């Protein structure tokens, strides 16, 4: 009981949250702050100064010496610049100070962050701007205690250089358009509609000493060579299995670190692949959920090192076993707490829900290529569609109940909703449970799961800000069109039912409840004319289309320059990632693997000669066969290495942007696969003590 109470007190103790502000700010200042936040208005300098003073005192009392503006540049990870509270005084002494100006604005150098042409290298000025909707917090570490202030990051020109700014813009747009719908249904009290997000984070844990002996893991985050061990995940014994003591100790420390910073780590378990695990957090407002997920990933890596482990967040660290993703659970909540995606007991009668559902189906169907781009990164290309994750084809799973409602709408006789039943398990001592009205579908990339949609394609290493920004904008666009039409209607009920019927019928093709892994679905999707974008390069091309530029520009979420910049950065990121992988393979093959194989072949040849010298009648056919096989594989690998070097050189000379990314995709990636194949076969031939790096068996099971 004491431990449970202690855990509850631990939560949020390092967060400058609403309760702390209520306690430390003058009542008038606190009330004005709440009004500003509720109305989405700019804070006055007086309020900012009061908050800065209270925040400083609170942080210093808890041992903080520095503060940092914490932002999310277009690198996909977070960035920070630390400043001390220390201010020298004329008498040679010093005071600890922190002003409202320092709270609101910072000036990190913007010249070396990816900008996709928004900034020239010589144009250095950038601004970090306090996001007052995301609470500041304290982070403890070897460097002491630091006050961390979540911020947006923009260029001197005002253009967004980060992932948070467009997300915040999209949230405002979505709230505005959803409120128009709410007003049509008579809700005049709601002031905001908030996208609520709960991400599930998958990851691998491996031994740090083994990790340091793998250059590929060290430089790229994934294994570029590696034969499958005798056992992988085929027994399904790791999934939800008993958590190992070492991993359990790690999870305990991870939870406590996150809880102190107000991150609501809730669920933890073993995932499908050996050494793979998952952590899920409780729902939060989209921008706070995004901040928290960045904290989760960062803290996972830091805590792992304390336990002699390394946390791998790459989407596909190991071939042959499941990779990692990040399920993005998304719903719409009014500031009064009403979930707009809750179908209720009788979905066929809930016209407001059906209108929201219709908007989401339209958004996903009309802009499936844009949604696919939001889940694109180099690592995800190894995962999507590989019978372990959602396919690259976007579809929506609704479940039996809602799919039946959709079919009734299309047929023109909406009359009933399927009900869940009591489930009788057949054991007298077990209680009856209520069976849901529908099953789930783990192969669907975009699935309705009760009162939310689960976007299952998001990469495990990526920020969720991008996918949620896109999702918010696409749904806002659909709601905008619906509101325009319904606000003009003389007969609202008639116009509403006609709109739902028309749009559901038009977008029914995006609804699919079958096996997304099957080849039959690929053919069916082609007949439905659904896009199948199976690689990042093509996804970027779809995102940068004229239609997408106009869509994001229409709502002020991304300007044309900002869309173009993100496309260029994506092409550049793809090429750089593959270049690093190719050069790492060359280094490992040339300096580690080939010398080990040559030594093995030489030793084997000497052994054959020694046996023959002892006895001419001795049978050395096995040794000779092994010698020939290893020599042939070494020759194949050497030829593949030369081809990889040639392909990498060609790609590196290709024009920047899409041509270079395509060269890496079409030439370098196949050349890497061609080098891996003989090397992985060589690994199975050579003695374990001769192979120059830890094997999959070591990495996946020795923890």
């Amino acid at each position: 009981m004491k431990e449970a109470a202690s855990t509850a007190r631990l939560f949020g103790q390092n967060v400058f949250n609403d309760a702390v502000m209520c306690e430390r700010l003058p009542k008038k200042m606190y009330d004005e702050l709440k009004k500003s936040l509720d109305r989405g208005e700019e804070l006055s300098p007086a309020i900012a100064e009061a908050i800065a003073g209270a925040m400083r005192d609170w942080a210093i009392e808890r041992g903080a010496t520095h503060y940092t503006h914490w932002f999310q540049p277009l690198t996909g990870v977070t960035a920070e610049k630390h400043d001390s509270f220390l201010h020298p005084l004329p008498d040679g002494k010093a005071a600890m100070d922190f002003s409202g100006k320092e709270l609101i604005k910072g000036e990190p150098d913007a010249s070396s962050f990816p900008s996709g042409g928004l900034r020239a290298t010589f144009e250095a000025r950038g601004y970090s701007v306090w996001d007052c909707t995301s609470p500041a917090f304290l982070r403890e570490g070897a460097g002491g205690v630091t006050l961390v202030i979540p911020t947006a990051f923009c260029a001197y020109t005002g253009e967004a250089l980060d992932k948070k700014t467009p997300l915040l813009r999209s949230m405002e747009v979505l709230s505005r358009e959803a409120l128009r719908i709410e007003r049509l249904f008579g809700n005049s009290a709601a002031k905001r509609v908030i996208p609520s997000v709960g991400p599930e984070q998958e990851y691998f844990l491996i031994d740090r000493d083994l990790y340091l002996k793998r250059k590929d893991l060290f430089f790229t985050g994934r294994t570029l060579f590696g034969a499958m061990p005798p056992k992988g995940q085929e027994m399904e014994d790791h999934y939800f299995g008993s958590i190992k003591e070492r991993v359990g100790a790690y999870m305990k420390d991870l939870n406590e670190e996150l809880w102190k910073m107000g991150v609501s780590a809730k669920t933890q378990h073993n995932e499908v692949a050996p050494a793979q695990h998952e952590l899920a957090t409780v729902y939060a407002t989209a921008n706070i959920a995004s901040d928290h997920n960045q904290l989760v990933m960062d803290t996972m890596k830091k805590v792992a090192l304390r336990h002699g482990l390394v946390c791998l967040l790459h989407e596909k660290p190991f071939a042959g076993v499941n990779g990692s993703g990040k399920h993005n659970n998304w719903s719409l909540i009014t500031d009064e707490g009403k979930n707009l995606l809750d179908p209720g007991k009788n979905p066929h009668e809930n016209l407001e829900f059906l209108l929201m559902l219709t908007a989401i189906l339209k958004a996903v169907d009309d802009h499936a290529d844009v949604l696919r781009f939001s889940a694109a990164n180099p690592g995800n290309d190894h995962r999507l569609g590989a019978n372990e994750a959602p396919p690259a084809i976007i579809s929506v799973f609704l479940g039996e109940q809602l799919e039946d409602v959709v079919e009734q709408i299309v047929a023109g006789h909406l009359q009933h909703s399927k009900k869940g039943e009591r489930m009788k398990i057949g054991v007298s001592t077990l209680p009856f449970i209520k069976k849901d009205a529908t099953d789930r579908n783990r192969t669907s990339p975009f699935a309705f799961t009760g009162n939310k949609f689960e976007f299952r394609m998001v990469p495990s290493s990526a920020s969720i800000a991008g996918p949620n920004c896109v999702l918010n904008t696409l749904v806002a666009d659909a709601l905008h069109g619906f509101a325009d039409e319904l606000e003009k209607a003389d007969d609202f009920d008639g116009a509403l039912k006609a709109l739902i019927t028309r749009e559901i019928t038009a977008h029914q093709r995006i609804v699919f409840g079958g096996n997304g892994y099957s080849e039959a679905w690929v053919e069916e999707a082609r007949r439905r004319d659904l896009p199948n974008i199976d690689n990042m390069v093509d996804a970027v091309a779809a995102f940068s289309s004229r239609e997408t530029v106009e869509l994001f520009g229409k709502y002020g979420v991304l300007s044309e320059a900002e869309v173009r910049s993100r496309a260029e950065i994506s092409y550049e990121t793809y090429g750089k990632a593959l270049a690093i992988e190719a050069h790492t393979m060359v280094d490992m093959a040339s300096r580690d693997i080939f010398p080990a194989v040559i030594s093995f072949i030489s030793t084997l040849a000497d052994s054959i000669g020694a046996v023959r010298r002892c006895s001419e009648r001795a049978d050395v056919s096995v040794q000779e066969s092994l010698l020939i096989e290893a020599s042939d594989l070494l020759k194949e690998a050497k030829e593949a290495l030369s081809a990889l070097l040639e392909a990498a050189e060609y790609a590196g000379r290709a024009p920047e942007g899409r041509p270079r990314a395509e060269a890496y995709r079409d030439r370098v990636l196949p050349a890497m696969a061609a080098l891996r194949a003989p090397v992985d076969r060589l690994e199975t031939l050579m003695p374990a003590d001769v192979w120059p790096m830890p094997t999959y068996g070591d990495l996946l099971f020795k923890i």
Side-chain angles (χ1 to χ4, degrees):
M1 194 73 178
K2 286 183 179 179
E3 187 175 347
S6 176
T7 299
R9 287 194 299 271
L10 187 72
F11 185 80
Q13 71 176 29
N14 284 351
V15 183
F16 192 73
N17 53 29
D18 186 72
V20 176
M21 287 190 289
C22 182
E23 177 187 338
R24 288 179 172 264
L25 288 174
K27 186 177 186 308
K28 182 179 179 182
M29 289 288 186
Y30 175 78
D31 291 342
E32 288 186 23
L33 169 65
K34 295 295 289 182
K35 287 179 183 177
S36 296
L37 293 177
D38 289 342
R39 296 170 183 169
E41 297 174 349
E42 184 178 346
L43 293 178
S44 70
I47 295 177
E49 200 64 47
I51 294 172
M55 194 183 290
R56 173 202 61 213
D57 294 343
W58 171 81
I60 291 173
E61 286 171 14
R62 283 157 178 74
T65 58
H66 288 70
Y67 68 91
T68 181
H69 276 201
W70 183 66
F71 56 99
Q72 301 175 32
L74 297 172
T75 55
V77 294
T78 56
E80 52 198 61
K81 181 181 76 170
H82 294 219
D83 289 290
S84 74
F85 291 117
L86 199 71
H87 280 247
L89 298 175
D91 61 0
K93 297 181 180 180
M96 303 292 268
D97 200 10
F98 182 55
S99 68
K101 181 179 179 182
E102 289 169 318
L103 168 62
I104 290 173
K105 186 183 80 170
E107 292 191 23
D109 186 341
S111 63
S112 295
F113 289 109
S115 73
L118 290 177
R119 300 251 73 193
T121 303
F122 67 88
E123 296 174 318
R125 193 180 295 278
Y127 296 117
S128 52
V129 185
W130 177 37
D131 174 15
C132 58
T133 63
S134 184
F137 58 92
L138 298 177
R139 188 170 55 199
E140 302 168 343
V145 180
T146 302
L147 173 64
V148 181
I149 304 162
T151 61
F153 181 49
C154 65
Y156 182 72
T157 56
E159 292 163 312
L161 293 175
D162 68 340
K163 293 181 177 292
K164 170 170 276 199
T165 303
L167 174 61
L168 292 171
R169 293 171 181 169
S170 73
M171 291 169 65
E172 290 189 2
V173 170
L174 179 58
S175 179
R176 183 181 70 226
E177 300 303 332
L179 279 177
R180 293 175 66 192
I181 299 296
E182 281 298 285
R183 300 293 184 254
L184 288 168
F185 282 91
N187 184 348
S188 58
K191 299 183 183 68
R192 286 183 300 154
V193 174
I194 305 156
S196 179
V197 175
E200 304 167 27
Q201 179 70 54
E202 295 176 344
Y203 62 99
F204 280 82
L205 287 176
I206 62 171
D207 185 88
R208 183 174 181 269
D209 290 339
L210 298 176
Y211 165 85
L212 292 174
K213 296 174 183 176
R214 294 282 314 209
K215 291 180 183 176
D216 46 5
L217 283 174
F218 186 82
F219 288 117
T220 75
R222 75 180 184 103
T223 52
L224 302 173
F225 299 105
M228 279 297 295
K231 178 180 184 292
Q233 66 187 50
E234 57 269 48
M235 297 301 293
E236 291 100 16
D237 54 342
H238 189 261
Y239 192 43
F240 282 84
S242 177
I243 297 171
K244 294 179 180 179
E245 288 291 298
R246 190 178 181 188
V247 175
Y250 162 80
M251 288 179 169
K252 179 179 183 296
D253 283 356
L254 174 63
N255 285 333
E256 290 179 356
E257 289 290 331
L258 293 173
W259 289 340
K260 286 191 288 186
M261 294 185 290
V263 179
S264 51
K266 178 73 172 176
T267 304
Q268 60 192 32
H269 61 84
N270 291 346
E271 256 297 335
V272 173
Q276 188 184 31
H277 313 279
E278 180 178 296
L279 181 147
T281 56
V282 177
Y283 290 80
T285 303
N287 67 311
I288 296 177
S290 177
D291 285 352
H292 282 182
N293 186 245
Q294 292 293 143
L295 270 179
V296 165
M297 292 190 287
D298 186 55
T299 308
M300 279 179 167
K301 291 186 282 188
K302 289 181 178 178
V303 173
L305 296 176
R306 299 179 199 165
H307 290 262
L309 301 168
V310 170
C311 174
L312 302 178
L313 295 174
H314 194 284
E315 289 69 32
K316 193 70 173 177
F318 303 101
V321 298
N322 271 25
S324 296
K326 183 147 44 190
H327 299 172
N328 188 87
N329 296 283
W330 179 91
S331 60
L332 291 175
I333 314 291
T334 70
D335 55 352
E336 303 167 303
K338 175 184 175 183
N339 187 340
L340 302 184
L341 299 187
D342 185 353
K345 294 181 179 180
N346 298 298
H348 71 288
E349 297 176 350
N350 190 343
L351 293 181
E352 183 177 357
F353 165 76
L354 290 178
L355 184 64
M356 287 293 173
L357 175 65
T358 304
I360 292 168
L361 292 179
K362 175 178 173 59
V364 174
D365 188 21
D366 284 348
H367 304 288
D369 52 356
V370 183
L371 198 59
R372 171 66 180 87
F373 165 78
S374 76
N377 75 356
N380 231 14
D381 279 6
H382 301 288
R383 171 178 166 264
L384 293 183
N387 286 347
E388 60 168 273
I393 303 165
I394 298 280
S395 64
V396 178
F397 171 77
L398 294 180
E400 296 170 23
Q401 184 186 60
L402 291 186
E403 208 167 317
D404 179 64
V405 169
V406 165
E407 290 171 359
Q408 290 181 58
I409 290 171
V410 172
H413 50 75
L414 183 59
Q415 296 176 343
H416 66 273
S417 298
K418 289 184 176 181
K419 302 291 184 182
E421 302 171 351
R422 295 182 75 193
M423 178 182 284
K424 190 173 182 179
I425 300 174
V427 180
S428 59
T429 56
L430 294 179
F432 288 106
I433 62 171
K434 185 177 180 181
K435 181 180 177 181
D436 290 315
T438 185
D439 203 347
R440 290 191 175 185
N441 187 326
R442 67 182 301 272
T443 71
S444 174
F446 200 83
F448 186 75
T449 53
N451 58 4
K452 57 185 172 59
F453 278 93
E454 184 179 26
F455 186 28
R456 297 169 52 89
M457 297 178 82
V458 182
S460 54
S461 65
S463 166
I464 63 171
N468 284 293
C469 171
V470 168
L471 186 54
N472 293 344
T473 306
L474 301 187
V475 174
D477 181 55
L479 293 175
H480 175 84
F482 290 0
D484 280 353
E485 180 174 339
L486 294 174
E487 285 169 352
K488 299 172 185 175
D490 295 327
D491 175 9
F492 174 73
D493 287 343
L496 174 63
K497 291 174 183 176
L499 185 154
I500 290 173
T501 300
R502 183 190 75 226
E503 295 294 337
I504 285 283
T505 303
H507 299 289
Q508 188 183 15
R509 67 171 189 163
I510 200 70
V511 178
F512 176 68
N515 181 7
Y517 293 165
S518 70
E519 285 301 317
W521 167 233
V522 176
E523 292 301 316
E524 173 64 19
R526 186 178 293 115
R527 285 193 292 271
R528 296 188 188 190
D529 198 27
L530 299 178
N532 184 359
I533 304 173
D534 64 359
N535 66 89
M536 178 179 174
V537 180
D538 287 345
V540 178
F543 173 72
S544 54
S545 68
R546 170 52 55 185
E547 182 184 15
T548 302
V549 168
E550 291 176 352
L551 171 66
F552 282 86
K554 174 181 178 181
Y555 297 102
V557 174
L558 290 169
S559 67
E560 178 170 357
E562 288 170 334
V563 171
R564 303 289 184 207
S565 72
R566 280 145 181 80
E568 287 304 309
I569 291 169
S570 296
Y571 285 135
E572 186 178 337
T573 298
Y574 183 88
K576 285 180 177 179
L578 264 66
I580 292 170
E581 290 185 351
H583 291 138
T584 301
M585 289 190 85
V586 169
D587 183 273
M588 294 175 70
S590 301
R591 302 178 64 188
D592 301 316
I593 297 169
F594 287 4
V597 175
I598 291 169
S599 177
F600 168 67
I601 290 172
S602 300
T603 300
L604 187 57
D606 291 343
S607 174
I608 293 171
V611 171
R612 280 180 172 159
R613 284 194 296 273
C614 292
S615 172
E616 292 184 0
R617 292 187 302 170
D619 186 351
V620 291
S621 60
V622 173
Q623 296 95 313
E624 288 177 335
S625 174
L626 184 59
L627 178 64
I628 291 170
E629 185 176 3
S631 298
D632 288 347
L633 287 171
L634 179 61
K635 180 183 178 184
E636 182 184 345
K638 179 61 178 70
E639 291 171 351
L641 177 67
S642 298
L644 176 57
L645 283 167
E646 183 180 340
E649 184 179 354
Y650 173 88
R653 292 198 311 266
E656 293 182 354
R658 184 174 182 178
R660 183 172 295 179
E662 288 177 337
Y664 275 104
R665 179 195 63 191
D666 298 339
R667 294 197 176 217
V668 174
L669 202 56
M672 289 168 60
L675 173 57
R676 177 169 186 160
V679 169
D680 285 359
R681 292 204 300 275
L682 279 166
E683 180 186 325
T684 65
L685 298 180
M686 292 177 56
D689 61 344
V690 176
W691 192 247
M693 67 193 74
T695 64
Y696 271 25
D698 298 326
L699 295 167
L700 291 171
F701 293 99
K702 291 184 178 180
I703 184 174

